[in-house]
Amino acid sequence: MIFYFSATGNSEHVARSIAEANDDRLAYIPDLLTSGELSFDVSGEKMIGFVSPTYYWGLPTIVEDFLRRVELSFEERPYTFFVATYGTKNGAITQVAERILKDKGVDMDASYEVRMPDTWTPVFDLTNEENISKRVKTADEKLEEVMCQIASRSKGVFMKDRIPEFISKMFYSLYEKARRTENLTVEEHCTGCGRCAEFCPVHAIKMCDGRPEWTMDSCVMCLGCLHRCPSFAIQYGDKTKGHGQYINPHCPE
Ligand SMILES: Cc1cc2nc3c(=O)[nH]c(=O)nc-3n(C[C@H](O)[C@H](O)[C@H](O)COP(=O)(O)O)c2cc1C
Ligand code: SF4
Ligand code: SF4
């Protein structure tokens, strides 16, 4: 069983590829949190996989919330692993996930990383299609390698872009301010299609008089609303407009 979160398709592609290669099932974390389905008997499962993007060198709040709340019961624990997708450095995401799971009696057998285009467009520019294609191609090669390691039930930490947790914590503390919804704005040309509200994994957007409004002070800040808006009408600060939109090419909507 592969649990995953994804806003722009990078982690979805990884999770889907692993599930398909192993004829295993996928579970989308926001759906599980919305439905309250958080107890799983995983005794007969082939594997327990977690796939998540890295946010501020740590876990997206929605994934941390899920890991803290999920209950996994088993007689013999299936092969258990975490795959972090990321754009530059994945910090301590797997160390944090490992600790949360260990505290509830679930040991991690392996941690993997797959570097992808960086969807944090308040900083990174995703307008160069050639660069994106190259990065996606390299990611696909890396994913093949990770899938072979999973198939052979490799054990260990297979990551070169980790950062010690005590350093990562400092950067992670900035996520709190960055994920305030007041950072998101809607431009005049919004058509009122409602796609952003429909997508939001934590239901933080409501349509009011044909325009999105944020109903929470903070969200996951996954940028799914920004990258998936058909009119590119949602922005975060003054850089995102010039940095483009992105959805992993293997996961078109
Ligand atoms: C709020 C936010 C913070 C991010 N922080 C990091 C980071 O600290 N390090 C990094 O390498 N990538 C970072 N990224 C990039 C994503 O981890 C990366 O692009 C990931 O593959 C996106 O996955 P998805 O397409 O499945 O949503 C960040 C992206 C967002 C939206
Ligand atoms: S997805 Fe874009 S165009 Fe559609 S309602 Fe949201 S902001 Fe407006
Ligand atoms: S409001 Fe936008 S950025 Fe925030 S969680 Fe929802 S989709 Fe993601």
Side-chain angles (χ1 to χ4, degrees), residues 12 31 38 40 43 84 103 124 132 138 145 194 198 209 237 250:
E12 180 184 339
D31 288 346
L38 295 166
F40 300 89
S43 299
D103 285 350
F124 297 97
I132 292 172
T138 312
E145 188 187 311
E198 200 183 298
D209 298 327
H250 297 293

Side-chain angles (χ1 to χ4, degrees), residues 130-141:
E130 202 184 322
N131 285 351
I132 292 172
S133 298
K134 273 190 207 156
R135 180 66 67 85
V136 169
K137 189 168 173 280
T138 312
D140 284 345
E141 288 161 9

Side-chain angles (χ1 to χ4, degrees), residues 84-116:
T85 74
Y86 67 109
T88 45
K89 290 277 175 200
N90 49 57
I93 178 172
T94 56
Q95 296 98 305
V96 175
E98 207 171 296
R99 191 159 28 77
I100 295 172
L101 289 169
K102 197 177 179 59
D103 285 350
K104 48 175 72 188
V106 182
D107 288 333
M108 195 78 82
D109 289 309
S111 304
Y112 301 103
E113 62 182 21
V114 179
R115 191 171 179 208
M116 289 278 188

Side-chain angles (χ1 to χ4, degrees), residues 181 184 196 199-202 204-205 214 219-226:
T181 52
L184 295 163
C196 49
F199 173 78
C200 179
V202 287
I205 304 175
W214 280 266
C219 66
V220 184
M221 204 47 76
C222 67
L223 295 189
C225 53
L226 181 154

Side-chain angles (χ1 to χ4, degrees), residues 40-46 73-78:
F40 300 89
D41 181 350
V42 290
S43 299
E45 297 290 339
K46 294 174 185 146
S73 55
F74 46 82
E75 277 163 28
E76 199 175 321
R77 180 177 54 77

Side-chain angles (χ1 to χ4, degrees), residues 170-237:
M170 289 187 267
F171 188 50
Y172 192 70
S173 65
L174 302 178
Y175 180 28
E176 204 50 43
K177 195 167 171 212
R179 66 188 192 86
R180 293 189 66 80
T181 52
E182 66 192 11
N183 294 314
L184 295 163
T185 51
V186 189
E187 294 179 328
E188 275 305 309
H189 64 276
C190 158
T191 60
C193 69
R195 176 80 185 98
C196 49
E198 200 183 298
F199 173 78
C200 179
V202 287
H203 316 290
I205 304 175
K206 263 208 176 109
M207 295 304 292
C208 293
D209 298 327
R211 292 189 55 100
E213 279 186 9
W214 280 266
T215 58
M216 298 174 181
D217 291 338
S218 296
C219 66
V220 184
M221 204 47 76
C222 67
L223 295 189
C225 53
L226 181 154
H227 288 293
R228 290 175 183 273
C229 169
S231 308
F232 196 9
I234 294 182
Q235 304 301 333
Y236 183 112

